[in-house]
């Protein structure tokens, strides 16, 4: 008998638009390889960039927020496992799942720690050094409560697991380290990639609905790019990303070689045309999809310490980590001109993909944790009293708030 997985999506997956979309597709492929029947449900409107999941044999359902119709839907479906895409969906639907399907394993896919990103953003806006005071924000209270209420939370970065266990005292047995799940890069694939001499210009890429990406492009334009351009007058800076708004497009300047190209239909193609990828993120959390795209396509990077967080472990990075803009620009120029250095950094990238993000290894580990939690759910929950307590209180407060909204909407 096949087990059933219900994924409640914050949005419909868009792997070409964001790292979060790619991540969701990796999780879907994992559960399919474990022989799960999958239903994907979301209350969000679909865009043209969304994948048609039915082509992959996945049922798609639109669900309503604050509506008891979901209760009947989930009860009839009766899934063995429910996965919430980001903590906001767990807040909305978690209590209904717990009420109607108490024996379903509840998994939270955090994507990244939203409260960490928010705290860093606030510190940046306040021009203050980031501290615990910024970490313990109101969003953290909601997000950590959601992590406790779920049976397992999928964490994309070891750095974030460290923050959760040391700062918030979250028990390790409910956290699963599951970074990007990537196929190994073979020698044959490496040989097919564009060579140093065949590439030119700089690239950065990222979804513009994501504030850290817009801020990084602004920083590039105003501070870093003029320093690079002075030393490399022929070079161009190519900026790609989905959902470029007017304020993004206004940054386009042909004379300065700063080009806003918008949505990249094929990330591999544009990444392989470029010589160096720049990622000067000044706040954010999680793992950066742009660095993975760069490493897979043999494009070395200059990045900030925020961009590099959780990426390399004990391995040498596929470029340089610099937070000072002058130094950032210096290293970018050096990497652009020095073929031997460029090839060494490129090689580091292949090693990182093949050792740190090896899909087979991480899937095997997750499979064991998942099956054990499904089979010993009662015991698993007994070891997380805080989670049970928070679930109890959420079911009271959220339940009545939701019912009130539902009545109001009638």
């Amino acid at each position: 008998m096949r087990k059933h997985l219900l994924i409640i999506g914050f949005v419909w997956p868009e792997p070409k638009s964001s790292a979060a979309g790619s991540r969701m597709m990796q999780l879907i492929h994992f559960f399919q390889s474990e022989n799960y029947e999958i239903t994907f449900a979301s209350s969000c409107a679909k865009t043209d960039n969304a994948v048609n999941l039915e082509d992959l044999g996945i049922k798609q359902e639109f669900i309503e927020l604050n509506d008891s119709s979901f209760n009947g839907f989930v009860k009839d479906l009766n899934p063995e496992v429910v996965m919430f895409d980001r903590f906001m969906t767990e807040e909305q639907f978690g209590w209904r799942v717990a009420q109607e399907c108490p024996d379903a394993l509840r998994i939270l896919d955090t994507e990244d720690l939203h409260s960490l990103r928010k705290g860093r953003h606030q510190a940046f806006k306040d021009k203050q050094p980031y501290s615990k005071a910024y970490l313990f924000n109101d969003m953290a209270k909601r997000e950590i409560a959601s992590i406790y209420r779920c049976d397992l939370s999928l964490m994309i970065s070891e750095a974030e697991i460290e923050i959760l266990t040391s700062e918030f005292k979250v028990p390790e047995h409910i956290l699963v380290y599951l970074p990007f799940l990537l196929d190994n890069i073979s020698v044959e694939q490496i040989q097919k990639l564009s060579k140093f001499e065949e590439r030119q210009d700089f690239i950065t890429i990222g979804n513009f609905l994501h504030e850290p990406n817009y801020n990084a492009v602004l920083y590039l334009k105003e501070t870093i790019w003029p320093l690079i351009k002075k030393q490399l007058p022929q070079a161009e800076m190519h900026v790609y990303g989905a959902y470029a708004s007017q304020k993004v497009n206004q940054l386009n300047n042909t004379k300065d070689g700063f080009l806003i190209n918008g949505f990249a239909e094929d990330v591999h193609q544009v990444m392989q045309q470029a010589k160096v990828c720049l990622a000067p993120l000044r706040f954010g959390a999680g793992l950066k999809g742009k660095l993975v795209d760069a490493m897979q396509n043999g494009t070395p990077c200059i990045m900030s310490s925020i961009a590099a967080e959780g990426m390399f472990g004990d391995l040498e990075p596929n470029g340089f980590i610099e937070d000072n803009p002058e130094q950032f620009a210096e290293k970018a120029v050096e990497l652009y001109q020095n073929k031997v250095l460029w090839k060494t950094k490129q090689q580091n990238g292949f090693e990182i993909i093949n050792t740190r993000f090896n899909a087979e290894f991480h899937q095997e580990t997750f499979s064991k944790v998942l099956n054990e939690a499904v089979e010993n759910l009662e015991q698993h929950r007994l070891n997380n009293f805080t989670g049970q307590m928070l679930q109890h209180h959420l079911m009271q407060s959220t339940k009545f708030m939701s019912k009130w909204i539902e009545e109001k909407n009638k």
Side-chain angles (χ1 to χ4, degrees):
M1 187 68 177
R2 289 177 76 189
K3 288 198 179 83
H4 205 129
L5 164 73
L6 169 64
I7 301 172
I8 304 178
F10 182 64
V11 292
W12 295 91
E14 296 183 21
K16 286 186 176 180
S17 303
S18 69
S22 303
R23 159 74 163 183
M24 180 52 75
M25 295 313 295
Q26 290 164 12
L27 292 174
I28 283 171
H29 293 315
F30 163 77
F31 278 102
Q32 285 184 319
S33 73
E34 294 282 302
N35 200 29
Y36 273 78
E37 199 177 324
I38 303 174
T39 300
F40 192 103
S42 180
S43 58
C44 185
K46 249 186 184 180
T47 72
D48 295 343
N49 296 340
V51 168
N52 183 4
L53 295 170
E54 283 174 356
D55 292 347
L56 300 169
I58 293 161
K59 293 191 189 107
Q60 302 182 135
E61 296 283 349
F62 284 93
I63 49 177
E64 295 280 339
L65 285 174
N66 301 308
D67 196 296
S68 52
S69 61
F70 177 83
N71 297 39
F73 160 73
V74 77
K75 191 173 189 170
D76 292 344
L77 195 66
N78 196 22
E80 281 82 2
V81 180
V82 177
M83 184 164 76
F84 303 99
D85 168 25
R86 291 166 251 209
F87 79 91
M88 297 78 100
T89 55
E90 188 278 334
E91 284 183 327
Q92 283 286 350
F93 296 101
W95 68 271
R96 294 181 188 273
V97 170
Q99 180 180 289
E100 303 300 337
C101 306
D103 298 333
L105 180 82
R106 298 189 296 274
I107 298 176
L108 175 63
D109 180 34
T110 56
E111 294 290 356
D112 61 29
L113 274 184
H114 291 60
S115 50
L116 176 64
R117 173 156 34 98
K118 188 181 184 202
R120 284 173 171 168
H121 191 180
Q122 193 57 51
F124 174 79
K125 286 196 283 195
D126 293 348
K127 297 185 171 58
Q128 292 294 324
Y130 177 72
S131 66
K132 197 181 267 196
Y134 284 105
L135 177 63
F136 290 5
N137 54 52
D138 283 350
M139 188 180 274
K141 291 167 188 142
R142 292 168 54 197
E143 188 167 31
I144 306 306
S146 181
I147 287 170
Y148 267 108
R149 283 192 299 266
C150 288
D151 300 308
L152 296 173
S153 286
L154 308 182
M155 305 303 304
I156 205 161
S157 162
E158 294 149 317
E160 294 183 359
I161 290 181
E162 172 57 32
I163 290 167
L164 288 176
T165 53
S166 63
E167 301 293 350
F168 294 105
K169 307 294 182 266
V170 174
E172 275 189 57
H173 83 280
I174 65 171
L175 302 176
V176 184
Y177 174 52
L178 196 70
F180 291 129
L181 307 171
L182 307 173
D183 294 330
N184 272 13
I185 302 171
S186 67
V187 176
E188 295 76 44
Q189 283 170 295
I190 292 170
Q191 284 165 350
K192 283 180 192 164
L193 293 173
S194 309
K195 307 290 181 281
F196 179 83
E197 298 78 13
E198 295 163 356
R199 297 172 179 239
Q200 60 184 30
D201 301 328
F202 292 86
I203 188 171
T204 192
I205 192 164
N207 181 337
F208 287 111
L209 295 178
H210 194 56
E211 186 62 33
N213 288 333
Y214 171 69
N215 180 273
V217 170
L218 201 58
Y219 182 42
L220 263 179
K221 161 91 176 177
E222 293 173 352
T223 309
I224 294 170
W225 182 244
L227 299 170
I228 296 173
K229 188 70 173 168
K230 197 184 285 183
Q231 296 185 64
L232 298 169
Q234 300 307 310
E236 290 180 342
M237 179 72 232
H238 289 273
V239 180
Y240 290 92
Y243 304 110
S245 63
Q246 176 136 18
K247 70 174 182 176
V248 174
N249 289 322
Q250 279 172 347
L251 302 176
N252 188 75
N253 188 323
T254 316
K255 186 166 71 71
D256 294 343
F258 195 89
L259 308 172
I260 306 289
N261 298 314
F263 182 70
E265 197 54 54
D266 184 349
V267 67
H268 302 293
Q269 186 191 354
V270 297
M271 205 46 102
Q272 277 187 54
Q273 288 167 353
K275 200 171 266 186
V276 176
C277 174
L278 304 180
L281 294 155
R282 293 189 281 185
F283 51 91
L287 294 180
K288 308 302 172 288
K290 56 180 76 50
L291 298 189
V292 167
D293 293 332
M295 288 189 282
Q296 286 178 320
N297 290 287
T299 312
C301 297
I302 314 288
M303 67 214 98
S304 62
S305 49
I306 289 278
E309 184 180 71
M311 211 79 201
F312 305 116
D314 300 330
L315 299 176
E316 284 294 312
N318 70 319
F320 295 100
I321 302 166
E322 293 292 348
D323 290 321
N324 172 290
E326 285 78 18
Q327 243 117 30
F328 192 102
E330 279 300 320
K331 290 295 186 192
V333 172
E334 186 185 355
L335 196 51
Y336 194 85
Q337 294 177 319
N338 185 331
K339 181 178 174 178
V340 176
L341 179 66
W342 187 90
K343 288 194 78 165
T344 304
K345 296 300 184 184
Q346 183 190 57
Q347 204 51 50
N348 291 352
F350 300 142
E351 192 188 340
I352 291 152
I353 295 286
N354 290 352
T355 52
R356 286 198 41 88
F357 303 112
N358 180 303
E360 209 173 304
F361 170 78
H362 290 294
Q363 285 175 339
E364 206 173 295
T365 312
F366 181 34
S367 179
K368 282 183 193 155
V369 173
L370 176 70
N371 292 328
E372 204 168 294
V374 169
E375 283 161 30
N376 304 297
L377 188 55
E378 201 176 326
Q379 187 56 48
H380 184 85
R381 285 179 180 167
L382 283 175
N383 295 333
N384 176 19
F385 178 76
T386 305
Q388 290 185 318
M389 178 175 67
L390 288 166
Q391 185 68 50
H392 171 80
H393 286 290
L394 178 92
M395 282 183 77
Q396 308 310 315
S397 59
T398 318
K399 181 177 180 175
F400 290 108
M401 170 61 105
S402 191
K403 283 183 179 296
W404 178 77
I405 293 169
E406 192 175 347
E407 284 303 313
K408 199 165 153 278
N409 288 343
K410 278 180 182 172

